[in-house]
């Protein structure tokens, strides 16, 4: 099989070729590895290879019952552990530790027949919306290598857009599936809280805001992935009930006519690029032509308060993670990026009652969205407020790192965190991605759909947020949009 033939198929299509004996898993793996080798210097999407393990895997038997039998696959190098392999979480010092276990999602992927041959780049601890870890270097966007593929699943997104694999592992704690999907012309669905286990290493990620998942080129690949990933694990603290029908079967039916409210205003009050507005208005016209009722609405939540409540919890989670790695693995603060050190220092200034109050407000944001969904089936917005940014656009200047070091030494982060100056900095840093945290805090499913490309040829997705247990509804709409405005054959010139 040649590369141009390989990219004509999604993951289910490749697995079907394997079942029919038209191609072998070894041939598919060879094409994927060759494409990874050819694009690595331009993209830096994959930071670790498992070639030997993959070659051994394709020599073993696959079964017709495995939906992705023999299909090459990449896991994200963040909380997707594979027993016997390192996992860096974007940090080279942590990569010295070898995982003694396999994550639930990785086990389910291998059980489904996928052939893992690498791990994709991610920012340190997934804490940024661009994929530029200090230890592994930036990942670049296949549509324009001067631009970011987004984060934190930026390595996976770049690999898919470049044609290395048709689907790859991802996760989403504040937009980390939807942001890269929007930047790379891909479909990205964040499942609802409790739908997929994040274990066995942890009960929940980021107080339930972070979920495991995939990025893909086709809606049906994501639907089939959801079918294999969703469902209970004995060690999970809770789980969502199984859907009445498999997601892959559900997308065969068109969605019912829906009432959709849309907003383009930034929840944090920061500027929105005209292209992001144009992408949303284009989606409104398409949805209207398909028979849906779409109308402008006020933002269904307090965006500035939600951003503050998201980041406070995030800082606390970073502090816990840094302190645990220092305790368990002997890491030093210098092993972490300066920005991570600052976030952790901020988190250490948060009191127990303050964190509890923050998490109680998460419930208030959920109530706001619940009231909205009592009137509307879905909320539509831009996924990101502007096209993919240049690589390095959000890098903290070295001079500010020095200021932060002095503030840390003086123990002033507690006062700084509560200052209006710091709040403005936070809102500015979230300015490119102010729309996505809502679904994480509320635990609702949400998706980014690739319906729009800018005049410069850059993808720019739009986001839909649904109520609890609405994954099937979102997938049905996505399949309808995919049929009306196909994106599968749109490929970067790389």
């Amino acid at each position: 099989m040649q590369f141009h033939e390989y990219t004509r198929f999604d993951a289910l299509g490749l697995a079907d070729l394997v079942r029919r004996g038209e191609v072998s898993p070894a041939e598919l793996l060879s094409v994927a590895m060759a494409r990874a080798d050819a694009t690595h210097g331009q993209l830096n999407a994959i930071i670790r290879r498992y070639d030997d393990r993959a070659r051994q895997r394709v020599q073993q038997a696959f079964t017709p019952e495995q939906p992705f039998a023999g299909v090459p696959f990449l896991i994200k190098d963040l909380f997707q552990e594979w027993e016997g392999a390192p996992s860096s979480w974007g940090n080279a010092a942590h990569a010295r530790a070898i995982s003694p276990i396999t994550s639930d999602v990785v086990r389910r992927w291998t059980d489904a027949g996928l052939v893992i041959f690498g791990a994709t780049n991610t920012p340190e601890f997934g804490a940024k919306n661009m994929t530029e870890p200090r230890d592994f270097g930036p990942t670049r966007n296949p549509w324009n290598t001067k631009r970011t593929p987004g984060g934190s699943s930026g390595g996976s997104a770049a690999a898919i857009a470049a044609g290395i694999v048709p689907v790859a592992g991802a996760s989403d704690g504040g937009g980390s599936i939807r942001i890269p999907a929007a930047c790379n012309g891909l479909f990205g669905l964040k499942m609802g809280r409790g739908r997929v286990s994040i274990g066995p290493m942890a009960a929940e990620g980021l107080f339930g805001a972070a979920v495991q998942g995939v990025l893909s080129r086709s809606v049906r690949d994501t639907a089939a992935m959801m079918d294999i990933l969703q469902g209970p694990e004995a060690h999970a603290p809770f789980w969502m009930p199984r859907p009445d029908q498999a997601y892959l079967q559900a997308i065969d039916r068109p969605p019912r006519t829906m009432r959709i409210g849309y907003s383009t205003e930034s929840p944090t009050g920061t500027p929105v690029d005209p292209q992001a507005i144009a992408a949303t208005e284009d989606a409104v016209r398409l949805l209207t032509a398909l028979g849906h009722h779409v109308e402008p609405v006020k933002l269904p939540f307090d965006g500035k308060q939600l951003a503050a409540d998201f980041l406070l919890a995030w800082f606390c989670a970073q502090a816990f993670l840094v302190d645990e790695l220092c305790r368990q693995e002997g890491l030093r603060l210098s092993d972490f990026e300066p920005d991570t050190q600052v976030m952790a220092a901020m988190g250490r200034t948060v009191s127990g009652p303050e964190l509890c109050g923050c998490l109680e407000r998460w419930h208030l944001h959920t109530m706001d969205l619940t009231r909205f969904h009592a009137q509307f089936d879905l909320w539509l917005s831009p996924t990101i407020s502007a096209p993919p940014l240049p690589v390095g656009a959000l890098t903290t200047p070295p001079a500010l790192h020095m200021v932060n070091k002095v503030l840390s030494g003086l123990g002033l982060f507690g006062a700084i965190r509560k200052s209006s100056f710091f709040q403005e900095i936070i809102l500015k840093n979230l300015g490119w991605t102010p729309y996505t945290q809502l679904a994480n805090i509320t635990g609702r499913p949400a998706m980014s759909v690739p319906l729009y490309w800018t005049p410069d040829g850059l993808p720019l997705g739009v986001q839909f947020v649904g109520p609890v247990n609405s994954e099937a509804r979102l997938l049905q709409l996505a399949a309808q949009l995919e049929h009306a405005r196909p994106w599968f054959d749109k490929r970067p010139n790389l």
Side-chain angles (χ1 to χ4, degrees), residues 389-452:
L389 297 177
V391 171
L394 299 181
T395 300
T396 302
L400 187 54
H401 283 318
M402 293 300 298
V403 171
N404 288 334
K405 190 172 183 178
V406 171
L407 291 173
S408 178
L410 295 174
L412 296 177
F413 273 135
I416 293 294
R417 179 173 61 82
K418 297 178 181 180
S419 70
S420 59
F421 170 72
F422 179 73
Q423 299 303 321
E424 290 301 316
I425 290 177
I426 289 300
L427 294 180
K428 182 179 179 181
N429 285 342
L430 281 180
W432 184 48
T433 56
Y435 302 98
T436 52
Q437 294 82 31
L438 171 66
N440 298 89
I441 278 184
T442 61
R444 275 27 182 181
M447 66 182 182
S448 182
V449 186
L451 300 176
Y452 187 84

Side-chain angles (χ1 to χ4, degrees), residues 1 16 38 62 121 139 146 165 169 209 229 264 268 282 295 317 392 410 428 436:
M1 173 175 275
D16 188 53
F62 295 88
N121 204 7
T139 295
K146 295 180 180 179
V165 289
L229 292 179
T264 57
T268 58
D282 174 70
E295 62 181 89
L410 295 174
K428 182 179 179 181
T436 52

Side-chain angles (χ1 to χ4, degrees), residues 101-123:
I101 61 170
T102 294
S103 299
D104 293 332
V105 290
V106 175
R107 172 177 51 79
R108 292 192 180 209
W109 282 325
T110 55
D111 288 348
L114 289 159
V115 179
I116 299 170
F117 72 97
T120 59
N121 204 7
T122 181

Side-chain angles (χ1 to χ4, degrees), residues 311-333:
L311 287 169
L312 188 143
W314 191 277
F315 293 159
C316 290
Q318 292 294 299
F320 170 77
L321 189 56
V322 167
D323 291 352
E324 279 296 288
L325 290 177
C326 289
R327 182 182 66 84
Q328 293 183 13
E329 300 178 12
L331 272 60
R332 301 164 298 176
L333 284 181

Side-chain angles (χ1 to χ4, degrees), residues 139-153:
T139 295
R140 298 177 179 274
N141 194 317
W143 293 90
N144 182 334
T145 55
K146 295 180 180 179
R147 302 277 178 159
T148 181
S152 64
S153 305

